[in-house]
Amino acid sequence: MSDASLIRLAEAAGLSIDWVDADNCQQRVEPAVLRQVLACLGLTAESAEDIDASLEILAHKNNHGGVPPLLTCDQHAALELATFFPPSSSFELEGEDGSVRHGSLDEQARLPAIDTPGYYRLTIDKYQLTVAVAPRSCPTVAEIAGTGAWGLTAQLYGLRRPGDGGLGDTQALETLVRSAAAQGADALGISPVHAMFGAHLDQYSPYSPSSRLFYNVLHAAPGSILGERPLRQAIESCGLGEELQRLERLDLIDWPAVSRTRQQLLRRLFDDFRTGGNAQQADFDIFRASGGEALENHCRFEALHDHLRDAQGHPQQWNDWPDDYRDPASPAVEAFAREHADEVSYHAFGQWLMARGLERAHVAARSAGMRIGLISDLAVGADGGGSQAWSRQAELLASLSVGAPPDIMNRDGQNWGISAFSPWGLRQNGFRAFIEMLRANLAHSGGMRIDHVLGLKRLWVMPASADPRHGVYLNFPFDEMLRLLCLEAWRHRAVILGEDLGTIPPGLRDVLAARGILGMRVLLFEQHDGHFQRAGQYSPQALATTTTHDIPPLAGWWNGHDIDWRIKVGQVQEQDRAKQRHSREHERAGLNRVLCEDSGKNPEHLLSAEQAVDAAACFLGHTPAPLVLLPIEDALGLEEQANMPGIVETHPNWRRRYPGDSATLLDGEASRRRLECLAQARRNHRGAAHR
């Protein structure tokens, strides 16, 4: 068997044999890696006969069985249909408003241009398909919020309010957005609120969810939806008062204990709710009906996942369930749902509370004067053992894991332990899973941040638990996914932000910018060997921020606190401390120089950490970025970072809570000073743009 035939199969499967790494060096994937990844795609490649058989499988998949269920095109552009239909074929085109248009394809078998974005039902001969017509661009920040927009970002789980029971919730979020809006913020970006596993009490990274279609019910605030009286009665009847107060006093979230108490409380509230006579029953019924098959599948998965435990009583991956339960459409699953109807309804109840809480928070943000409101965060993938992978098996690749190749930030690469969409599975199913995911994350927000937006074009994949250095890029139907993203953003009137950090394909940023998707420029990354970009050099096609959840806040970076942590957790050896400190002093001097020049101070004078954070807030305001997002950690001048990638046991990832009630968190002298300077700088930017 020749490498040429293996490469032919790999390329037909959408794998990139050759790629350029973060050091701009040409790389080629080893044949052994290609075979392993192809096997995970269901394409055996151990022999020449295997490859021939796999090529036939691919040909069938790529043929869609004929006419695909969905095609995309741009507004005002003709749609090429020659692959499927002869020229001059008669067609009927039905819009979402019920309007019908009759006509014929032209001599090149093109559908005439459509002027209004939306989803259209196209009928030609005996075939019916959906045509998704996309606007040229997502709504821009300027269109939604004008010039000079700014906002904050927050880790939702870290918010506090009296009576929260030890975890941030939508009621605390509601309070925070009003406080931020009062200081002039246009937006509040929050950490992902994706659904986790109810049966896995110790799995809580918001970027490793069970499903990106639904919500983490632990963040629900039942009192804000059902009323405080039913909540107090449930707490009392469960005997949870003292435990909730204990959890609330902790500096770090005790996720297993919080999960147990929240679930116990939600179950009691549900039991009380379903006794009948509740005025909100109709709203719950409407919510459940509108959730359709996707919501029902998620709730069934949660019930099954808790029920189908192994001999030791531990929850199992759905691939380890009895065969009858691995298919969500099987009679066995249907029978289970009937027999455990109350359990399935309980999980729908939690989703209802969470959805209504997010809706309240976004409405509060807009009502308080935010021009964008909440910005949701879309994780790059979901756990291959979760409800989304179980529900949409034809559209997700549960046996492959997504990550990143070795790059400047992480020389060992990263395996994130999450699954990706299947490129041909998406096409074969009319991009159903992708569209429903976009809608779910835009439902209660004025914007959406896409984690690792590079994944729309390609993802670094490897067999589950494999060394990330033994991976390969899998390419996706980029143009189609980009059009669908633009269409859904247009329908929801939402801005789209793309986290475009890492190993970036050439030209990708320009393509995203042309589609109105803002990139992301991080103050601490905008440098080369300690030479930092000045404010005026920042891109007008990207948002500007000081830091991210995966790197330290500015005060921690300035003081080298993150170096101490990396030594503590073993990422850096103690003998390298002096070298790390020396490198940081060099970088700090460079940042100090641009911050001082921007604020009119003497660049020879080293700012204190507090002064540097002040100056950075003002500095970002002076950039031409259409949107500035300041993390609350930097608004408060905190040192600790939310997450240390690659570290699980020795750093409290996703557990830190903010030092104060959400209602007054931003009222301190330092945070008020920073936010006022940022707001004033953005007002000046707005005024300059109008002159």
Side-chain angles (χ1 to χ4, degrees):
M1 177 184 60
S2 69
D3 282 352
S5 59
L6 176 64
I7 289 172
R8 186 160 64 95
L9 173 62
E11 289 180 337
L15 303 179
S16 292
I17 314 303
D18 299 296
W19 59 285
V20 178
D21 67 16
D23 296 315
N24 206 31
C25 295
Q26 192 74 31
Q27 300 288 342
R28 170 160 280 218
V29 182
E30 297 175 2
V33 172
L34 292 177
R35 290 190 186 94
Q36 290 171 358
V37 172
L38 286 167
C40 291
L41 294 172
L43 302 169
T44 309
E46 296 300 324
S47 67
E49 292 76 14
D50 288 340
I51 289 177
D52 288 341
S54 293
L55 283 168
E56 285 188 22
I57 292 172
L58 265 184
H60 176 72
K61 286 182 175 182
N62 290 329
N63 189 37
H64 311 289
V67 180
L70 180 142
L71 292 171
T72 68
C73 67
D74 290 314
Q75 180 184 15
H76 308 308
L79 175 61
E80 303 279 351
L81 293 173
T83 304
F84 313 108
F85 304 108
S88 304
S89 296
S90 298
F91 70 80
E92 178 182 281
L93 189 69
E94 182 179 355
E96 293 177 88
D97 60 358
S99 61
V100 177
R101 172 182 171 187
H102 293 90
S104 300
L105 304 183
D106 67 14
E107 64 279 2
Q108 294 175 283
R110 296 181 305 181
L111 182 71
I114 301 171
D115 294 335
T116 304
Y119 293 95
Y120 294 81
R121 171 60 59 188
L122 176 64
T123 303
I124 300 180
D125 194 13
K126 63 180 180 179
Y127 298 100
Q128 276 197 342
L129 66 148
T130 298
V131 177
V133 181
R136 293 290 185 179
S137 166
C138 299
T140 65
V141 170
E143 290 168 349
I144 301 295
T147 55
W150 69 277
L152 298 163
T153 62
Q155 302 297 312
L156 174 60
Y157 57 82
L159 300 180
R160 291 182 184 269
R161 66 171 180 85
D164 63 27
L167 185 69
D169 61 20
T170 57
Q171 193 170 337
L173 178 62
E174 202 176 323
T175 305
L176 180 63
V177 295
R178 290 194 180 98
S179 174
Q183 301 203 40
D186 295 301
L188 181 72
I190 58 173
S191 50
V193 291
H194 303 317
M196 305 304 290
F197 297 84
H200 279 315
L201 304 187
D202 56 355
Q203 185 168 334
Y204 47 81
S205 166
Y207 291 96
S208 299
S210 171
S211 174
R212 294 180 289 172
L213 299 182
F214 298 102
Y215 304 118
N216 185 345
V217 299
L218 299 182
H219 294 305
S224 68
I225 308 302
L226 302 173
E228 290 298 327
R229 183 178 177 185
L231 178 61
R232 286 195 304 270
Q233 290 174 340
I235 292 172
E236 185 176 340
S237 62
C238 291
L240 289 175
E242 289 187 9
E243 175 66 355
L244 292 171
Q245 291 175 20
R246 181 189 74 82
L247 293 170
E248 193 174 325
R249 290 192 295 267
L250 298 178
D251 291 329
L252 295 175
I253 297 165
D254 183 343
W255 279 99
V258 164
S259 298
R260 281 191 292 270
T261 57
R262 292 273 170 120
Q263 290 181 21
Q264 188 177 349
L265 187 57
L266 285 171
R267 286 181 184 276
R268 178 55 59 92
L269 287 166
F270 174 66
D271 287 342
D272 295 341
F273 184 84
R274 69 189 177 95
T275 55
N278 194 300
Q280 293 172 297
Q281 181 69 49
D283 185 59
F284 173 57
D285 292 343
I286 291 169
F287 170 82
R288 192 166 182 188
S290 65
E293 178 199 72
L295 175 60
E296 183 67 16
N297 279 346
H298 175 72
C299 296
R300 290 179 177 186
F301 174 90
E302 278 288 279
L304 283 162
H305 193 234
D306 189 38
H307 184 76
L308 299 174
R309 294 175 178 260
D310 63 18
Q312 288 73 44
H314 302 303
Q316 303 181 88
Q317 288 254 352
W318 61 265
N319 280 314
D320 296 325
W321 292 352
D323 288 350
D324 286 350
Y325 294 110
R326 295 181 195 174
D327 178 3
S330 73
V333 171
E334 187 68 36
F336 176 90
R338 285 196 304 270
E339 293 164 12
H340 298 82
D342 285 345
E343 182 72 5
V344 175
S345 295
Y346 158 71
H347 291 293
F349 175 74
Q351 290 297 320
W352 171 65
L353 291 176
M354 186 61 191
R356 293 296 181 254
L358 282 174
E359 183 179 39
R360 280 179 57 110
H362 182 52
V363 169
R366 296 299 302 271
S367 299
M370 285 191 176
R371 293 178 290 177
I372 296 173
L374 292 183
I375 297 177
S376 61
D377 196 344
L378 178 64
V380 69
D383 193 307
S387 90
Q388 192 174 5
W390 177 73
S391 300
R392 298 289 183 249
Q393 291 175 39
E395 295 159 84
L396 272 82
L397 300 171
S399 57
L400 283 176
S401 181
V402 175
D407 58 25
I408 296 168
M409 291 298 297
N410 194 319
R411 287 300 179 184
D412 294 325
Q414 298 177 66
N415 184 336
W416 299 327
I418 52 180
S419 63
F421 284 122
S422 161
W424 48 80
L426 286 175
R427 286 194 175 106
Q428 286 176 319
N429 291 277
F431 292 84
R432 173 186 58 175
F434 183 66
I435 293 169
E436 66 185 1
M437 181 188 71
L438 295 178
R439 290 175 178 173
N441 287 275
L442 290 168
H444 307 300
S445 66
M448 180 174 68
R449 172 191 178 272
I450 301 178
D451 190 45
H452 197 68
V453 73
L454 321 179
L456 291 176
K457 185 171 181 64
R458 67 182 191 184
L459 282 172
W460 187 255
V461 298
M462 66 220 78
S465 76
D467 187 320
R469 289 172 293 190
H470 300 153
V472 59
Y473 276 115
L474 174 64
N475 296 295
F476 285 82
F478 180 51
D479 292 337
E480 289 95 330
M481 295 172 78
L482 204 53
R483 288 190 186 108
L484 290 168
L485 174 60
C486 288
L487 176 53
E488 288 299 326
W490 176 82
R491 286 161 64 94
H492 289 84
R493 193 165 166 74
V495 299
I496 303 298
L497 320 176
E499 189 251 326
D500 56 347
L501 308 174
T503 306
I504 304 166
L508 178 65
R509 282 177 164 171
D510 291 336
V511 173
L512 295 177
R515 286 288 189 177
I517 299 169
L518 282 189
M520 184 174 178
R521 300 296 176 268
V522 181
L523 175 67
L524 295 179
F525 294 163
E526 290 298 292
Q527 60 154 313
H528 177 69
D529 192 27
H531 297 282
F532 282 77
Q533 297 268 37
R534 296 187 298 276
Q537 295 174 310
Y538 273 58
S539 171
Q541 298 175 334
L543 70 90
T545 186
T546 45
T547 186
T548 77
H549 55 259
D550 286 335
I551 58 176
L554 188 55
W557 183 89
W558 198 265
N559 291 329
H561 186 62
D562 59 310
I563 296 174
D564 297 334
W565 261 113
R566 290 210 299 275
I567 292 171
K568 182 177 180 179
V569 303
Q571 284 186 337
V572 174
Q573 300 303 309
E574 176 63 43
Q575 59 264 31
D576 293 328
R577 182 188 294 271
K579 180 180 178 182
Q580 291 278 322
R581 285 281 182 178
H582 178 74
S583 176
R584 179 59 52 81
E585 287 170 7
H586 174 67
E587 290 184 322
R588 185 175 62 182
L591 181 55
N592 187 81
R593 186 175 304 109
V594 297
L595 292 179
C596 286
E597 289 173 353
D598 181 71
S599 58
K601 294 184 174 64
N602 180 3
E604 301 303 317
H605 170 71
L606 183 64
L607 300 171
S608 67
E610 182 174 9
Q611 291 171 330
V613 178
D614 287 353
C618 302
F619 176 90
L620 290 183
H622 296 146
T623 68
L627 176 65
V628 171
L629 292 177
L630 183 68
I632 280 186
E633 288 80 359
D634 283 336
L636 301 177
L638 304 181
E639 283 196 327
E640 303 286 6
Q641 66 194 78
N643 177 54
M644 289 189 74
I647 302 299
V648 178
E649 302 295 338
T650 49
H651 182 268
N653 290 346
W654 318 117
R655 295 182 59 201
R656 300 192 187 280
R657 304 205 74 190
Y658 292 120
D661 184 348
S662 291
T664 56
L665 187 62
L666 302 175
D667 291 349
E669 180 185 347
S671 56
R672 278 192 170 276
R673 182 177 67 241
R674 289 166 190 143
L675 295 185
E676 175 52 35
C677 188
L678 172 56
Q680 183 59 51
R682 299 308 281 169
R683 284 193 292 269
N684 293 343
H685 176 75
R686 192 176 302 152
H690 291 154
R691 285 198 292 272

